[in-house]
Amino acid sequence: MNKTIGFIFARGGSKKLIRKNIKPLNGLPLIAYSIKLALEINEIDEVIVSTDDQEIADISIKFGAKVPSLRPKELAQDTTPEWDCWKHAVLEYNKLNNQGFNTFISLPCTSPLRMKGDIIQMLKYYELNDFDLVLGVTPSSRSPYFNMVRTKDDGSLEKIINTQENVTRRQDSPKCFDITTIGYITSPEYILDNNNIFDGRIGGYEISKESSIDIDDEIDFKIAEFLQVSDKNDKKV
């Protein structure tokens, strides 16, 4: 039997935006948006929150997610790779459930404006294609072939990617995308057998820029608040 588990990873020690994952966004804790959306998607069979923080766990349970146990503190540090947290979550789930599961989807707290339809279509895209992992992407406003630079040893600048062709307009450069945090879909086997997202064949599902905002700091949070309120007002008209 196919089984899809939605995981939400939320540690308590965020630095740029203190207690970010439960900071109220227009009346709801940030994590609640990921939980509520996941619970509305029929294709997701269970919603599990992985956290090291008891307050986050209590809030998650209140909004309908499961928190089987708290994540070890060593997997909730500033330097902890997200991939290690994914491996821990898969191993813990398999330990507690005899049948295991087929599809892993991570829905980070930091994308509260993601659309239900995008996640459903991403799941279909993953199922219909031969990718090891599918993630959300949105067209980049800058290009490493044209208007992105790096500093050389002598302090001068150079384009990140230099080609023989002289690209003078962004429109003439290869199409580039930003990776979003709207969602990551893969198999538990791929997570356990590899050490990085890009170890395998990766697919990108394109989504709109406005629904892919990734909250990293206070400015991002303010933008998300504004866009969310604006969207609600538009729907009332």
Side-chain angles (χ1 to χ4, degrees):
M1 182 180 68
N2 289 330
K3 194 172 186 181
T4 298
I5 308 299
F7 290 92
I8 301 168
F9 296 86
R11 71 187 186 99
S14 53
K15 293 291 188 295
K16 285 187 180 179
L17 195 57
I18 304 301
R19 307 297 287 167
K20 173 176 66 177
N21 291 318
I22 54 174
K23 183 177 173 66
L25 175 68
N26 292 322
L28 283 179
L30 188 59
I31 195 172
Y33 290 94
S34 293
I35 295 172
K36 286 165 66 68
L37 180 132
L39 291 172
E40 291 174 1
I41 296 175
N42 294 332
E43 290 81 355
I44 296 178
D45 298 289
E46 287 183 72
V47 180
I48 294 176
V49 169
S50 169
T51 183
D52 63 310
D53 187 278
Q54 188 61 54
E55 184 181 12
I56 293 176
D58 292 341
I59 290 173
S60 300
I61 292 168
K62 175 184 174 182
F63 281 95
K66 297 178 180 178
V67 186
S69 61
L70 291 183
R71 192 196 315 167
K73 290 293 183 183
E74 60 267 24
L75 289 176
Q77 304 302 311
D78 293 342
T79 56
T80 302
E82 183 84 355
W83 196 261
D84 289 353
C85 300
W86 289 11
K87 281 190 175 183
H88 174 263
V90 169
L91 291 170
E92 285 296 297
Y93 187 91
N94 289 343
K95 185 167 68 175
L96 296 173
N97 299 271
N98 293 329
Q99 289 185 322
F101 64 105
N102 304 87
T103 304
F104 168 105
I105 177 167
S106 169
L107 297 168
C109 300
T110 53
S111 286
L113 303 186
R114 67 167 65 86
M115 305 296 291
K116 175 181 173 181
D118 281 334
I119 300 304
I120 293 172
Q121 290 304 314
M122 278 183 69
L123 283 163
K124 289 180 179 178
Y125 186 71
Y126 172 74
E127 292 169 1
L128 294 173
N129 289 279
D130 187 27
F131 293 118
D132 293 307
L133 183 146
V134 167
L135 47 77
V137 297
T138 194
S140 176
S141 58
R142 296 187 176 276
S143 169
Y145 295 89
F146 174 62
N147 59 356
M148 293 181 69
V149 297
R150 62 185 172 191
T151 305
K152 296 194 293 185
D153 292 340
D154 64 1
S156 64
L157 299 178
E158 66 177 353
K159 285 189 295 185
I160 291 178
I161 297 178
N162 278 304
T163 62
Q164 291 182 343
E165 297 179 7
N166 185 25
V167 179
T168 58
R169 301 190 312 156
R170 182 177 59 84
Q171 295 91 327
D172 298 328
S173 65
K175 193 171 184 179
C176 296
F177 295 90
D178 292 330
I179 296 174
T180 75
T181 57
I182 187 173
Y184 304 85
I185 305 172
T186 187
S187 68
E189 291 78 18
Y190 181 71
I191 294 171
L192 296 178
D193 292 343
N194 293 279
N195 295 306
N196 187 282
I197 283 178
F198 290 97
D199 281 346
R201 187 166 180 265
I202 309 305
Y205 180 80
E206 188 172 340
I207 56 170
S208 66
K209 190 174 289 288
E210 58 268 24
S211 64
S212 65
I213 186 168
D214 177 19
I215 295 178
D216 184 51
D217 55 28
E218 188 67 40
I219 293 176
D220 297 330
F221 200 90
K222 298 282 186 190
I223 292 172
E225 281 184 317
F226 173 78
L227 291 175
Q228 192 179 61
V229 170
S230 297
D231 183 57
K232 288 180 180 178
N233 290 338
D234 289 343
K235 289 177 180 178
K236 291 178 182 178
V237 176

